[in-house]
């Protein structure tokens, strides 16, 4: 009698792999050394399928699916790399770069940015879509941290880590479409937040220079995320 | 406990009061006529009846939508006489005419035998314009709640799902998913609880089918939900209505109270173990909250953004429990199907699209309003016969269906039948039932621009392609419409359509390029005229002079 999750077999890029039925394509691909680019995903946080970089093709499904939120199925045939996927991923990156003001040369996270890394990986030297140059503010009211909306890609990693790991739920989203932006508390300055514990988890999960520590200059902000798998393991340990 | 005999008794009593009167005057009190002060018309009629000593002889009743909204306020007398554009002052003449032996007032009379009325087939709207939406007794007199009680008495949940499957009914919220299949999936799903949700968010610009239905015949939707709840094993339901529909909300809440009072909602309905209660939830008017997973998030009190599917709500819906979610019109079809049998319903319509469809006919046609036609009726019949054709000597150019997710169908395809497959094949979709007719005064790139602007502002912002892609697409369309676009822009527009269509998370983004793609498919020449010749054939777009010189 099987009580736990069942085991499924599938192929990823023609490689036969095994997986528990509650695992995602992304988890299994990584386990097997197959790289799928991601941006909003972060191991340890609930995946949302928002950025659309981890799109993969599944035989029999017309539209590509997001690997981070798609569970494996028996006999699935997954392709993680194709000219079409590369084109889509490039365009998604272009859209992100065009949306706000990502000026790497003056950014604290220059050289340590997930978005910049992906641009380099995809050889993105220029954009085919026009820059939007929106006017965005910087919130430097917090004693230790800075929020620069110009660098935000709305991945909501900060929202999720604050809610799911720190348990403070200081962050949330406000507005919709391209007007959407992250806010602290009920859209008050971060520095006046009643809920923020100052733990800095949001800063370190942020993929770009949108959230940074004060006192860091250009190229000086480096994010360390080791705490996430650690905290996650501790939690699992407690649950067993 | 309410029984079928009780229903018969209520109906008989209604019939009795009705037959006491010689004349029945119905005044439309749905939103469109109300906005033209039909409530004052009703008041004036009632006053005149009293003053002329006709109380009891002439019965004045507020009823739901009669369909021909453009000619409102509408009043009918008996079965055959239809009065249009009635003012409160006309009440004097109308009642005087009745006092003098049913003399019709010719100056107000509309043609109730016109194709607009005779070509329609009413299933969903059968009670609209006939019953008082604020009185449950009137609904019961029209066979209301009979299907629910008979189902509870004679059918198992599996039987109900089979009957719906046999009817071939497909979801009227846009996707056209087989309703019976959805119901059996929810029935099969296991959960400590299950929920039923009626999607009345209706956000397509220009669509008002669900609104009219809720304002005109709220009990029918509630009965459909109750039967659905019984079929899937749910005991609680939510009606998610947009807050911009206050009248619908008011009538629904009143209807729920009345049904509860009679024991048609509540615990152990009809003395069976089946219990069902319904709550109304208001949406704040975001188009994306009509998407089922966003709607569920909104009911849960969260931000109304979609989540990836699967898991579908049938498996994991509200609060994580199996949830049946259907559109207003879908639920409105349930009671008649169970009353008359699935086979009867399947005899209406085409091979794959059964029954009827309600459309909100709008734009450049003589008769605008709410219509119901059998599936498969050619577009031409809808527009030329029911709609009365394009007015003012203009020529027909295209008809837009499916709202911001749909497309434009050009004149050469007018003989196409209206069903899910044909519309999809033509690059449009059934959608929820908006139908906008356009004549040669419309510019197609401008139309595409309008819908793209809608998607751009309604995008929730969760996924990149839709959030940013719609902004770029809208900007290119603006460039095209102002004569500043190049062929490279047009190529980029196509690339963006491809990306947004294939990589967006939910239906909003995935279908947002449809208006562009369908107008490009049938009206490519209009785009090239704007881009190459810097001219707008319909003189809608303001082409910049200086650019024109360069072009
Ligand atoms: C952006 C978007 C908006 C939608 N709006 C509505 C709506 O206003 N009303 C509706 O019934 N369905 C709407 N839908 C479809 C629902 O997600 C869902 O498919 C439907 O309510 C299912 O009911 P049905 O099977 O009876 O059609 C929308 C879908 C999308 C993607
Ligand atoms: S497609 Fe648009 S509306 Fe749908 S989730 Fe993405 S951003 Fe939100």
């Amino acid at each position: 009698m099987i009580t736990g999750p069942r085991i499924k077999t599938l192929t990823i890029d023609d490689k036969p792999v095994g997986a528990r039925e509650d695992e995602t394509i992304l988890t299994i691909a990584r386990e097997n050394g197959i790289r799928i680019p991601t941006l909003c995903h972060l191991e340890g946080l609930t995946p949302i399928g928002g950025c659309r970089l981890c799109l993969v093709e599944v035989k029999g499904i017309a539209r590509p699916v997001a690997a981070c939120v798609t569970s494996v199925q028996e006999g699935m045939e997954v392709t993680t790399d194709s000219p079409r996927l590369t084109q889509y991923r490039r365009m998604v990156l272009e859209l992100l770069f065009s949306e706000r003001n990502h000026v790497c040369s003056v950014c604290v996270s220059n050289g340590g940015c997930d978005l910049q890394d992906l641009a380099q990986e995809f050889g993105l030297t220029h954009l085919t879509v026009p820059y939007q140059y929106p006017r965005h503010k910087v919130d430097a009211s917090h004693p230790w941290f800075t929020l620069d909306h110009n660098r935000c890609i709305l991945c909501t990693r900060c929202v999720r880590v604050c809610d799911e790991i720190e348990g403070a739920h200081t962050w949330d989203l406000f507005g919709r479409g391209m007007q959407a932006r992250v806010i602290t508390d009920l859209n008050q300055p971060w520095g006046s937040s009643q809920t923020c514990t100052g733990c800095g988890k949001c800063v370190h999960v942020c993929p770009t220079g949108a959230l940074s520590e004060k006192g860091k200059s250009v190229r000086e902000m480096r994010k360390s995320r080791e705490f996430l798998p650690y905290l996650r393991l501790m939690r699992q340990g407690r649950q067993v | 406990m309410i029984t079928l005999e009780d229903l018969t008794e209520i109906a008989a009593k209604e019939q009795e009061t009705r037959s006491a009167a010689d004349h029945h005057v119905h005044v439309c009190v749905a939103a469109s006529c109300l906005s033209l002060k039909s409530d004052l018309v009703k008041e004036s009629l009632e006053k005149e009846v009293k003053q002329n000593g006709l109380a009891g002889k002439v019965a004045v009743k507020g009823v739901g939508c009669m369909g021909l909204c453009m000619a409102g306020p509408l009043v009918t007398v008996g079965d055959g006489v239809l009065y249009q554009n009635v003012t409160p002052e006309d009440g004097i003449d109308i009642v005087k005419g009745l006092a003098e032996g049913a003399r019709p007032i010719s100056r107000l009379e509309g043609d109730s035998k016109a194709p607009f009325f005779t070509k329609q087939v009413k299933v969903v709207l059968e009670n609209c314009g006939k019953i008082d939406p604020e009185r449950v007794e009137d609904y019961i007199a029209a066979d209301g709640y009979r299907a629910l009680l008979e189902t509870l008495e004679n059918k198992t949940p599996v039987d109900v799902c089979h009957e719906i499957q046999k009817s071939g009914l497909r979801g009227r919220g846009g996707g056209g998913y087989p309703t019976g299949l959805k119901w059996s999936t929810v029935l099969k799903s296991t959960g400590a609880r299950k929920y039923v949700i009626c999607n009345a968010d209706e956000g397509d610009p220009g669509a008002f089918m669900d609104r009219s239905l809720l304002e005109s015949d709220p009990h029918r939707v509630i009965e459909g939900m109750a039967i659905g709840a019984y079929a899937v094993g749910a005991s609680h339901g939510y009606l998610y209505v947009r807050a911009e529909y206050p009248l619908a909300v008011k009538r629904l809440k009143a209807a729920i109270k009345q049904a509860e009072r009679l024991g048609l909602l509540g615990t152990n309905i009809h003395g069976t173990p089946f219990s069902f209660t319904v709550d109304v939830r208001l949406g704040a008017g975001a188009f994306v909250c009509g998407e089922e997973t966003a709607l569920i998030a909104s009911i849960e009190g969260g931000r109304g953004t979609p989540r990836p599917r699967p898991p579908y709500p049938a498996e994991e819906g509200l609060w994580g429990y199996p949830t049946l979610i259907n559109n207003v019109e879908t639920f409105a079809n349930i009671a008649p199907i169970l009353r008359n049998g699935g086979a009867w319903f399947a005899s209406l319509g085409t091979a794959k699209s059964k029954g009827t469809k309600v459309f909100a006919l709008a734009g450049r046609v003589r008769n605008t309003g709410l219509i119901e036609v059998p599936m498969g009726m050619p577009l031409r019949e809808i527009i030329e016969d029911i709609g009365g054709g394009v007015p003012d000597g203009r020529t027909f150019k295209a008809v837009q269906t499916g709202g911001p997710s749909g497309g434009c169908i050009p004149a050469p395809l007018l003989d196409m039948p209206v069903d899910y497959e044909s519309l999809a094949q033509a690059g449009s979709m059934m959608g929820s039932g908006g139908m906008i007719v356009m004549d040669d005064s419309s510019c197609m790139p401008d139309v595409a621009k309008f819908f793209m602007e809608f998607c751009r502002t309604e995008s929730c912002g969760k996924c990149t392609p839709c959030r940013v892609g719609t902004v770029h697409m809208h900007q290119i369309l603006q460039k095209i419409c102002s004569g500043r676009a190049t062929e490279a822009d047009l190529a980029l527009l196509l690339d963006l359509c491809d990306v947004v269509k294939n990589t967006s998370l939910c239906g909003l983004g995935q279908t947002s390029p449809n208006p562009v793609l369908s107008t490009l498919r049938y009206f490519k020449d209009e785009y090239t005229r704007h881009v190459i010749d810097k001219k707008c054939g319909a003189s809608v777009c303001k082409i910049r002079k200086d650019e024109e010189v360069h072009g």
Side-chain angles (χ1 to χ4, degrees), chain B residues 169-179 182-183 197-204 210 240 242 286-295 306 309 324-331 404-405 420 429 431-432 454 458 506-511:
Chain B
L169 174 66
R170 294 168 66 175
R172 301 294 194 240
Y177 191 81
T179 306
K182 195 185 266 187
W183 286 27
I197 297 176
C198 175
N199 187 340
D201 194 54
E202 193 169 55
D204 293 18
D210 296 349
Y240 189 87
R242 51 180 15 222
F287 176 59
V288 76
C289 283
E291 198 280 338
E292 51 191 24
T293 59
L295 187 151
R309 301 172 306 173
L324 171 70
I325 175 161
N326 274 129
N327 168 260
V328 172
E329 195 183 328
T330 314
F331 278 125
S405 317
Y420 291 99
M429 63 184 262
S432 54
F454 181 83
E458 292 298 332
C506 86
L508 194 157
Q510 288 164 4
T511 58

Side-chain angles (χ1 to χ4, degrees), chain A residues 52-232:
Chain A
R52 315 309 280 172
L53 273 169
C54 69
L55 290 176
V56 294
E57 281 163 348
V58 174
K59 197 172 166 195
I61 304 179
R63 279 195 182 89
V65 301
C68 68
V69 287
T70 308
S71 303
V72 297
Q73 261 165 30
E74 185 63 37
M76 222 180 203
E77 292 174 40
V78 181
T79 308
T80 68
D81 202 3
S82 73
R84 178 176 177 233
L85 287 175
T86 306
Q87 189 222 327
Y88 287 164
R89 287 173 185 156
R90 262 190 82 102
M91 186 55 104
V92 166
L93 280 175
E94 284 199 35
L95 293 175
L96 284 174
F97 272 101
S98 72
E99 185 182 15
R100 301 225 172 158
N101 305 306
H102 296 279
V103 191
C104 301
S105 55
V106 293
C107 180
V108 285
S109 283
N110 190 0
C113 168
D114 294 0
L115 182 65
Q116 193 184 41
D117 289 349
L118 281 165
Q120 275 162 0
E121 181 184 334
F122 281 85
L124 209 70
T125 53
H126 64 284
L127 301 192
T128 51
V129 291
Y131 287 100
Q132 296 297 309
Y133 300 120
R135 280 176 178 274
H136 277 294
K137 293 209 171 110
V138 175
D139 180 352
S141 60
H142 196 280
W144 309 318
F145 313 121
T146 308
L147 160 64
D148 185 353
H149 288 291
N150 292 290
R151 314 275 196 249
C152 177
I153 57 167
L154 296 172
C155 68
T156 69
R157 280 186 190 180
C158 53
V159 179
R160 285 174 285 155
V161 81
C162 186
D163 176 48
E164 296 170 11
I165 306 293
E166 180 62 5
H169 202 127
T170 300
W171 294 98
D172 216 318
L173 283 164
F174 179 88
R176 65 180 178 221
M178 229 179 74
Q179 258 60 55
R181 61 189 166 82
V182 291
I183 53 165
T184 41
D185 283 2
L186 295 171
N187 197 18
Q188 274 118 9
W190 195 359
S192 66
S193 166
Q194 303 277 307
T195 58
C196 173
T197 61
C199 75
K201 290 188 179 69
C202 53
V203 173
H204 285 275
V205 298
C206 173
T208 68
L211 292 174
S212 62
E213 288 166 352
K214 279 192 170 168
K216 293 274 164 38
S217 180
V218 171
R219 292 191 71 95
E220 285 181 0
M221 185 66 216
R222 290 298 174 265
K223 313 270 169 116
S224 46
R225 295 170 190 145
E226 296 76 33
F227 70 90
L228 243 184
Y230 171 73
L231 285 179
R232 207 170 62 113

Side-chain angles (χ1 to χ4, degrees), chain B residues 368-449:
Chain B
T368 57
L370 200 69
I371 61 163
E372 180 173 1
V373 296
M375 291 273 189
M377 181 180 267
L379 269 173
R380 187 183 300 285
E381 243 176 280
I382 298 181
I383 292 161
E384 291 180 2
D385 299 349
I386 295 179
V390 175
D392 309 328
R394 293 240 169 215
T395 48
F396 172 87
K397 188 185 238 177
V399 54
Q400 211 278 348
T401 67
S405 317
C408 297
I409 298 160
L413 294 183
L414 262 192
D415 290 308
M416 189 184 91
V418 167
D419 61 55
Y420 291 99
E421 278 72 25
S422 308
L423 284 167
Q425 226 175 15
S428 184
M429 63 184 262
M430 179 74 80
S432 54
M435 194 178 266
I436 304 166
V437 180
M438 290 173 277
D439 64 18
D440 52 2
S441 65
S442 287
C443 161
M444 301 320 270
D446 182 68
V447 170
K449 188 182 79 178

